[in-house]
Coordinates of all heavy atoms in Angstrom, one line a residue:
V13 N 0.8 -1.2 0.0 CA 0.0 0.0 0.0 C 0.9 1.2 0.0 O 1.7 1.4 0.9 CB -0.9 0.0 1.2 CG1 -1.7 1.3 1.3 CG2 -1.9 -1.2 1.2
S14 N 0.7 2.1 -1.0 CA 1.5 3.4 -1.1 C 0.8 4.4 -0.1 O -0.4 4.5 -0.1 CB 1.5 3.9 -2.5 OG 2.2 3.0 -3.4
V15 N 1.6 5.2 0.6 CA 1.1 6.1 1.6 C 1.7 7.5 1.4 O 2.9 7.6 1.1 CB 1.5 5.6 3.0 CG1 1.2 6.6 4.1 CG2 0.9 4.2 3.3
A16 N 0.9 8.5 1.6 CA 1.3 9.9 1.6 C 0.7 10.6 2.8 O -0.5 10.4 3.1 CB 0.9 10.6 0.3
V17 N 1.5 11.3 3.6 CA 1.0 12.1 4.7 C 1.5 13.5 4.5 O 2.6 13.8 4.4 CB 1.6 11.5 6.0 CG1 1.0 12.3 7.2 CG2 1.3 10.1 6.2
V18 N 0.5 14.4 4.5 CA 0.8 15.9 4.3 C 0.0 16.7 5.3 O -1.0 16.3 5.8 CB 0.5 16.3 2.8 CG1 1.3 15.5 1.8 CG2 -1.0 16.2 2.6
D19 N 0.6 17.9 5.6 CA -0.1 18.9 6.4 C -0.9 19.8 5.5 O -0.3 20.5 4.6 CB 1.0 19.7 7.2 CG 0.3 20.6 8.2 OD1 -0.9 21.0 8.0 OD2 1.0 21.1 9.1
G20 N -2.2 19.9 5.7 CA -3.0 20.6 4.7 C -3.1 22.1 5.0 O -3.8 22.8 4.3
T21 N -2.4 22.6 6.0 CA -2.5 24.0 6.4 C -2.2 24.9 5.2 O -1.1 25.0 4.8 CB -1.6 24.3 7.6 OG1 -1.9 23.4 8.7 CG2 -1.9 25.8 8.0
G22 N -3.2 25.6 4.8 CA -3.0 26.6 3.7 C -2.8 26.1 2.3 O -2.6 26.9 1.4
L23 N -2.8 24.8 2.1 CA -2.5 24.3 0.8 C -3.7 24.5 -0.2 O -4.8 24.2 0.1 CB -2.2 22.8 0.9 CG -0.9 22.3 1.5 CD1 -0.8 20.8 1.5 CD2 0.3 23.0 0.9
N24 N -3.4 25.0 -1.3 CA -4.4 25.1 -2.4 C -4.2 23.8 -3.3 O -3.5 22.9 -2.9 CB -4.2 26.4 -3.2 CG -2.8 26.5 -3.8 OD1 -2.0 25.5 -3.9 ND2 -2.4 27.7 -4.3
M25 N -5.0 23.8 -4.4 CA -4.9 22.6 -5.2 C -3.5 22.3 -5.7 O -3.1 21.1 -5.6 CB -5.9 22.8 -6.4 CG -5.9 21.6 -7.4 SD -7.0 21.8 -8.7 CE -8.6 21.6 -7.9
H26 N -2.8 23.3 -6.2 CA -1.5 23.1 -6.7 C -0.5 22.6 -5.6 O 0.2 21.6 -5.8 CB -0.9 24.4 -7.3 CG 0.4 24.2 -8.0 ND1 1.6 24.1 -7.3 CD2 0.8 24.1 -9.3 CE1 2.6 24.0 -8.1 NE2 2.1 24.0 -9.3
G27 N -0.6 23.2 -4.5 CA 0.3 22.8 -3.4 C 0.0 21.4 -2.9 O 1.0 20.7 -2.5
L28 N -1.3 21.1 -2.8 CA -1.6 19.7 -2.3 C -1.2 18.7 -3.2 O -0.6 17.7 -2.9 CB -3.1 19.7 -2.0 CG -3.7 18.3 -1.6 CD1 -3.1 17.9 -0.3 CD2 -5.2 18.3 -1.5
L29 N -1.5 18.9 -4.5 CA -1.1 17.8 -5.5 C 0.4 17.7 -5.6 O 0.9 16.5 -5.7 CB -1.7 18.3 -6.9 CG -3.2 18.3 -7.0 CD1 -3.6 18.8 -8.4 CD2 -3.8 16.9 -6.8
E30 N 1.1 18.8 -5.5 CA 2.6 18.7 -5.6 C 3.1 17.9 -4.4 O 4.0 17.1 -4.5 CB 3.2 20.1 -5.7 CG 4.7 20.1 -5.8 CD 5.3 21.5 -6.0 OE1 4.5 22.4 -6.3 OE2 6.5 21.6 -5.9
A31 N 2.6 18.3 -3.2 CA 3.0 17.6 -2.0 C 2.8 16.1 -2.0 O 3.6 15.3 -1.6 CB 2.3 18.2 -0.7
L32 N 1.6 15.7 -2.5 CA 1.2 14.3 -2.6 C 2.2 13.6 -3.6 O 2.6 12.4 -3.3 CB -0.2 14.1 -3.0 CG -1.3 14.6 -2.0 CD1 -2.7 14.5 -2.6 CD2 -1.2 13.7 -0.8
L33 N 2.4 14.2 -4.7 CA 3.3 13.5 -5.7 C 4.7 13.3 -5.1 O 5.3 12.3 -5.4 CB 3.3 14.4 -7.0 CG 2.1 14.3 -7.9 CD1 2.1 15.3 -9.0 CD2 2.0 12.9 -8.5
R34 N 5.2 14.3 -4.4 CA 6.5 14.2 -3.8 C 6.6 13.1 -2.8 O 7.5 12.3 -2.7 CB 7.0 15.5 -3.2 CG 7.3 16.6 -4.2 CD 7.9 17.8 -3.6 NE 8.0 18.9 -4.5 CZ 8.9 19.1 -5.5 NH1 9.8 18.1 -5.6 NH2 8.9 20.1 -6.3
Q35 N 5.5 12.9 -2.0 CA 5.4 11.9 -1.0 C 5.4 10.5 -1.7 O 5.9 9.5 -1.1 CB 4.1 12.0 -0.2 CG 4.1 13.1 0.8 CD 4.8 12.7 2.1 OE1 4.4 11.7 2.7 NE2 5.8 13.4 2.6
F36 N 4.8 10.4 -2.9 CA 4.7 9.2 -3.6 C 6.0 8.9 -4.4 O 6.1 7.9 -5.2 CB 3.5 9.1 -4.5 CG 2.2 8.9 -3.8 CD1 1.1 9.8 -4.0 CD2 2.1 7.9 -2.9 CE1 -0.1 9.6 -3.4 CE2 0.9 7.7 -2.2 CZ -0.2 8.5 -2.4
G37 N 7.0 9.8 -4.3 CA 8.3 9.6 -4.9 C 8.5 10.2 -6.2 O 9.5 9.9 -6.9
Y38 N 7.6 11.1 -6.7 CA 7.8 11.7 -8.0 C 8.6 13.0 -7.9 O 8.6 13.7 -6.9 CB 6.4 12.1 -8.6 CG 5.7 10.9 -9.2 CD1 4.9 10.1 -8.4 CD2 5.7 10.7 -10.5 CE1 4.2 9.0 -8.9 CE2 5.0 9.6 -11.1 CZ 4.3 8.8 -10.3 OH 3.6 7.7 -10.9
V39 N 9.4 13.2 -9.0 CA 10.1 14.5 -9.1 C 9.1 15.4 -10.0 O 8.8 15.1 -11.1 CB 11.4 14.3 -9.9 CG1 12.0 15.7 -10.1 CG2 12.4 13.5 -9.0
V40 N 8.6 16.4 -9.4 CA 7.6 17.2 -10.0 C 8.2 18.2 -11.0 O 9.0 19.0 -10.6 CB 6.7 18.0 -8.9 CG1 5.7 18.8 -9.6 CG2 6.1 17.0 -8.0
E41 N 7.8 18.1 -12.2 CA 8.3 19.0 -13.3 C 7.2 19.8 -14.0 O 7.5 20.5 -14.9 CB 9.0 18.2 -14.3 CG 10.2 17.4 -13.8 CD 10.9 16.6 -14.8 OE1 10.3 16.4 -15.9 OE2 12.0 16.1 -14.5
F42 N 6.0 19.7 -13.5 CA 4.9 20.5 -14.1 C 4.4 21.6 -13.2 O 4.6 21.6 -11.9 CB 3.7 19.5 -14.3 CG 3.9 18.4 -15.2 CD1 4.0 17.1 -14.7 CD2 4.2 18.6 -16.6 CE1 4.2 16.0 -15.6 CE2 4.5 17.5 -17.4 CZ 4.5 16.2 -16.9
D43 N 3.9 22.7 -13.8 CA 3.4 23.8 -13.1 C 1.9 23.9 -13.1 O 1.3 24.6 -12.2 CB 4.0 25.1 -13.7 CG 5.5 25.2 -13.5 OD1 6.0 24.7 -12.4 OD2 6.2 25.8 -14.4
S44 N 1.2 23.3 -14.0 CA -0.2 23.4 -14.1 C -0.9 22.4 -13.2 O -0.5 21.2 -13.2 CB -0.6 23.1 -15.6 OG -2.0 22.8 -15.7
P45 N -1.9 22.8 -12.4 CA -2.7 21.9 -11.6 C -3.3 20.8 -12.4 O -3.4 19.6 -11.9 CB -3.7 22.8 -11.0 CG -3.1 24.1 -11.0 CD -2.3 24.2 -12.2
N46 N -3.7 21.0 -13.6 CA -4.3 20.0 -14.5 C -3.3 18.9 -14.8 O -3.6 17.7 -14.7 CB -4.8 20.6 -15.8 CG -6.1 21.4 -15.5 OD1 -6.8 21.2 -14.5 ND2 -6.4 22.3 -16.4
E47 N -2.0 19.3 -15.0 CA -1.0 18.3 -15.3 C -0.6 17.5 -14.1 O -0.4 16.3 -14.1 CB 0.3 19.0 -15.9 CG 0.0 19.6 -17.3 CD 1.2 20.4 -17.8 OE1 1.8 21.2 -17.0 OE2 1.7 20.2 -18.9
L48 N -0.6 18.2 -12.9 CA -0.3 17.6 -11.7 C -1.4 16.5 -11.3 O -1.1 15.4 -10.9 CB -0.2 18.6 -10.6 CG 1.0 19.5 -10.6 CD1 0.9 20.6 -9.5 CD2 2.4 18.8 -10.5
F49 N -2.6 16.9 -11.5 CA -3.7 16.0 -11.2 C -3.7 14.8 -12.2 O -3.9 13.7 -11.7 CB -5.0 16.7 -11.3 CG -6.2 15.9 -10.9 CD1 -6.5 15.7 -9.5 CD2 -7.0 15.2 -11.8 CE1 -7.5 14.9 -9.1 CE2 -8.0 14.4 -11.4 CZ -8.3 14.2 -10.1
A50 N -3.4 15.1 -13.4 CA -3.3 14.0 -14.4 C -2.2 12.9 -14.0 O -2.4 11.7 -14.1 CB -3.0 14.5 -15.8
M51 N -1.1 13.4 -13.6 CA 0.0 12.5 -13.1 C -0.4 11.8 -11.9 O -0.2 10.5 -11.8 CB 1.3 13.4 -12.8 CG 2.4 12.5 -12.3 SD 3.9 13.5 -11.9 CE 4.4 14.1 -13.5
L52 N -1.0 12.4 -10.9 CA -1.5 11.8 -9.7 C -2.6 10.8 -10.0 O -2.6 9.7 -9.4 CB -1.9 12.8 -8.7 CG -2.3 12.3 -7.3 CD1 -1.1 11.5 -6.6 CD2 -2.7 13.4 -6.3
R53 N -3.5 11.2 -10.8 CA -4.6 10.3 -11.2 C -4.0 9.0 -11.8 O -4.5 7.9 -11.5 CB -5.5 11.0 -12.2 CG -6.6 10.1 -12.8 CD -7.5 11.0 -13.7 NE -8.6 10.2 -14.3 CZ -8.5 9.3 -15.3 NH1 -7.3 9.2 -15.9 NH2 -9.5 8.6 -15.7
M54 N -3.1 9.1 -12.7 CA -2.5 7.9 -13.4 C -1.8 7.0 -12.3 O -2.0 5.8 -12.4 CB -1.5 8.3 -14.4 CG -0.8 7.2 -15.2 SD 0.3 7.8 -16.5 CE 1.5 8.7 -15.5
F55 N -1.1 7.6 -11.4 CA -0.5 6.8 -10.3 C -1.5 6.1 -9.5 O -1.4 4.9 -9.2 CB 0.4 7.7 -9.5 CG 0.9 7.0 -8.2 CD1 2.0 6.2 -8.3 CD2 0.3 7.3 -7.0 CE1 2.4 5.5 -7.1 CE2 0.8 6.6 -5.8 CZ 1.8 5.8 -5.9
V56 N -2.5 6.8 -9.0 CA -3.6 6.3 -8.1 C -4.3 5.1 -8.8 O -4.5 4.0 -8.2 CB -4.5 7.4 -7.7 CG1 -5.8 6.8 -7.1 CG2 -3.9 8.3 -6.7
L57 N -4.7 5.3 -10.0 CA -5.5 4.3 -10.8 C -4.6 3.1 -11.0 O -5.1 1.9 -10.9 CB -6.0 4.8 -12.1 CG -7.0 5.9 -12.0 CD1 -7.4 6.4 -13.4 CD2 -8.3 5.5 -11.2
H58 N -3.3 3.2 -11.3 CA -2.5 2.1 -11.5 C -2.3 1.3 -10.2 O -2.3 0.1 -10.2 CB -1.1 2.6 -12.1 CG -0.1 1.5 -12.3 ND1 0.8 1.1 -11.3 CD2 0.1 0.6 -13.3 CE1 1.5 0.1 -11.7 NE2 1.1 -0.2 -13.0

C-alpha cells in the first residue's frame, strides 16, 4: 500500500497535488494543476 502524509494547512490545489506527488516519490516538473492532477490520477489508478 502506497502512503502519503501531508499537512494541509493553507494548501491550495497546486500545493496539495505537488506535496502528494513528492510523497509518492515523484520528481515534479509540471506547473499546471491539471498536469499535476493527471500525473497523480495515473499513479492512483495504476
